[in-house]
């Protein structure tokens, strides 16, 4: 039985049972959500600061204070946190069909070094929980910046740029105190899905030095939580950006989940086999807790992979400045890049720095952002979208594909599949923003699928409208001399009428389809058919076909409200 796709339910608690997640109603679930990065723990690359600029929360705070002084800096941070995430963001996330958010927390915002809790910081968590209760989303609490720092890099809040959490008993004790306090506070709160104990601990050289200390700390925190809270999931991340799971030799808690992160790696099953194997061995569910910061094609491929492999997932991240990889792109206010240049030491601080900062936090609400629907369509496989030919399903032969002859997989991509994949001869590159860096990088060359006669591939798509489904298949070479289509396109098992012209084959449903999940199958009619991509859209009417409005009511897309943001951009 496949997990359901539905809003969060708060009748009981989300739990791990026999390697799967089960909600309070006993229904199997896969989590589908988004991270709220840079809200309670600012990261420099999300502000468009380059590598020479401030990166960690402490560095960014020092920069702001240096610009405007202590009093105005406090005013800025209040405005920033009050505007970065509001209930409107949560409402939109729910409207997109997601079921949870992952909240990165900086320990310094919620607990003093003495162990005294800071109610002012905890109130942000409480507010988020109430918004999510109203809009049926779970919340995962993620300790992104632990006391002393757990990574030794700029993504936590380490005071010395080293993972001092593992070098000093005081920081470990403080971390245990914090998690125990959170467990006491939220032990009876079903909106909280679970506790993500440490984000991306011990990358690189640090994992060999402190892995033993990490395991011991995980066990201490688990015992402290379970002394008060037996309800909530406990979530453990591996070392090295959460990708090294060698520490998981045993299960430390039966109601737990293992987390990995995925950036800039091949989006195929071979790349996650190690996680599937450990999850199966320990009988625990798996969570891809951070995935993203890449182009639309990669997003579309990797999130389908998770769905097909029963892996819960979370897109990183919801909102950044001038982003094309996040759903919400904050429109940089006038003067912003002058301030960025000052942060990087390339120019003097602008005289109107205070005004620029004011305009910045005023630009943060979702209604003033550029809403990137294309990002979420790729993540959720919602039409309209373009799917790479290599984005067929990951459920194996007989389900996701059927081939004959002697197929030749690509040497570095989908190597376990008996499907011929080749690189396009006139290779093109695209750009995407690298996680933790913020600089453009070229992505892998475009790949194409070569089919023999009677070979087939299936693609899963979601339609949120009802209407006529239009499919355009892009072929790799000009076939204008062919009088008959080289492909048969099927929708949910039924062949669609198609017309081929040059390197394009267009197929459309003869009648309207309902909103929901649909399966598109491409069946090769000729050997040597080479496919690059297919684009899917839902249209209201077709030539020579009566308007479908009487038979198919098409709701607005993009959530409960669609507003025009700053600069005339449509939000929602």
């Amino acid at each position: 039985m496949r997990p359901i796709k539905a809003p969060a339910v708060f009748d009981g608690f989300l739990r791990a049972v026999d390697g799967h997640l089960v909600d309070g109603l006993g229904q199997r679930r896969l989590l589908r959500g988004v991270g709220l990065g840079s809200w309670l723990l600012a990261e420099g690359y999300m502000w468009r600061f380059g590598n020479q600029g401030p990166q960690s929360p402490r560095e960014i705070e020092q920069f702001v204070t240096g610009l405007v002084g202590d009093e105005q800096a406090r005013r800025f941070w209040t405005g920033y946190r009050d505007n970065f995430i509001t209930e409107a963001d949560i409402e939109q996330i729910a409207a997109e069909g997601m079921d949870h958010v992952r909240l990165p927390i900086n320990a310094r915002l919620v607990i003093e070094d003495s162990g005294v809790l800071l109610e002012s910081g905890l109130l942000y968590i409480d507010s988020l929980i109430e918004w999510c209760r109203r809009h049926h989303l779970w919340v995962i609490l993620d300790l992104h910046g632990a006391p002393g720092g757990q990574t030794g890099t700029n993504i936590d809040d380490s005071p010395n740029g080293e993972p001092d959490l593992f070098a000093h008993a005081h920081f470990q004790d403080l971390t245990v105190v914090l998690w125990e306090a959170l467990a006491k506070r939220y032990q009876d709160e079903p909106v909280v899905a679970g506790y993500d104990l440490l984000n991306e601990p011990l990358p690189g050289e640090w994992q060999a030095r402190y892995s033993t200390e990490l395991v011991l700390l995980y066990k201490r925190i688990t015992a402290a939580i379970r002394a008060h809270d037996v309800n909530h999931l406990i979530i453990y991340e591996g070392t090295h950006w959460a990708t090294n799971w060698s520490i998981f030799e045993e299960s430390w808690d039966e109601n737990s989940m293992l987390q990995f992160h995925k950036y800039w790696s091949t989006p195929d099953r071979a790349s996650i086999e190690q996680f599937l194997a450990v999850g199966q061995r320990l009988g625990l569910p798996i969570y891809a807790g951070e995935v993203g910061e890449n182009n639309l094609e990669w997003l579309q491929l990797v999130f389908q992979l998770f769905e097909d492999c029963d892996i819960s997932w979370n897109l990183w991240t919801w909102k950044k400045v001038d982003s094309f990889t996040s759903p919400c792109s904050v429109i940089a206010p006038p003067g912003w890049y002058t301030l960025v240049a000052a942060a990087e030491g390339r120019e003097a601080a602008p005289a109107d720095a205070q005004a620029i900062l004011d305009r910045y936090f005023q630009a943060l609400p979702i209604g003033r952002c550029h809403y990137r629907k294309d990002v979420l369509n790729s993540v959720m496989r919602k039409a309209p979208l373009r799917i790479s030919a290599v984005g067929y399903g990951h459920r194996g032969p007989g389900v996701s594909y059927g081939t004959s002859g002697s197929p030749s997989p690509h040497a570095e991509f989908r190597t376990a599949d008996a499907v011929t994949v080749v690189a396009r001869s006139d290779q093109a590159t695209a750009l995407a923003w690298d996680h933790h860096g913020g600089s453009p990088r070229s992505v892998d060359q475009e790949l194409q699928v070569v089919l023999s006669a009677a070979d087939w591939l299936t693609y899963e798509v979601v339609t949120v409208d009802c209407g006529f489904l239009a499919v355009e298949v892009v072929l790799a070479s000009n076939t204008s001399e062919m009088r008959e289509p080289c492909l048969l396109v099927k929708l949910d098992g039924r062949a669609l009428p198609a017309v081929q012209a040059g390197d394009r084959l267009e197929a459309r449903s003869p009648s309207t389809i309902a909103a929901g999940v649909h399966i598109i199958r491409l069946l090769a009619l000729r050997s040597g058919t080479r496919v690059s991509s297919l684009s899917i859209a839902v249209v209201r009417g077709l030539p020579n076909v009566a308007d479908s409005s009487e038979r198919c009511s098409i709701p607005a897309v993009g959530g409960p409200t669609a507003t025009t943001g700053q600069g005339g951009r449509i939000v929602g």
Side-chain angles (χ1 to χ4, degrees), residues 245-263:
W245 279 18
S246 61
I247 62 171
F248 300 135
E249 297 180 355
E250 59 181 334
S251 174
W252 302 318
D253 188 275
E254 65 179 9
N255 189 25
S256 64
M257 181 163 64
L258 305 181
Q259 179 176 171
F260 71 94
H261 295 174
K262 189 171 179 63
Y263 296 102

Side-chain angles (χ1 to χ4, degrees), residues 490-523:
K490 289 187 175 183
L491 174 65
D492 300 328
R494 300 180 62 182
L496 300 182
V499 176
Q500 184 171 322
D503 61 355
R504 297 291 193 275
L505 184 147
E506 294 185 359
R508 300 195 180 192
S509 61
S511 59
T512 58
I513 63 169
V517 179
H518 299 278
I519 302 298
I520 295 172
R521 176 176 291 199
L522 301 184
L523 172 66

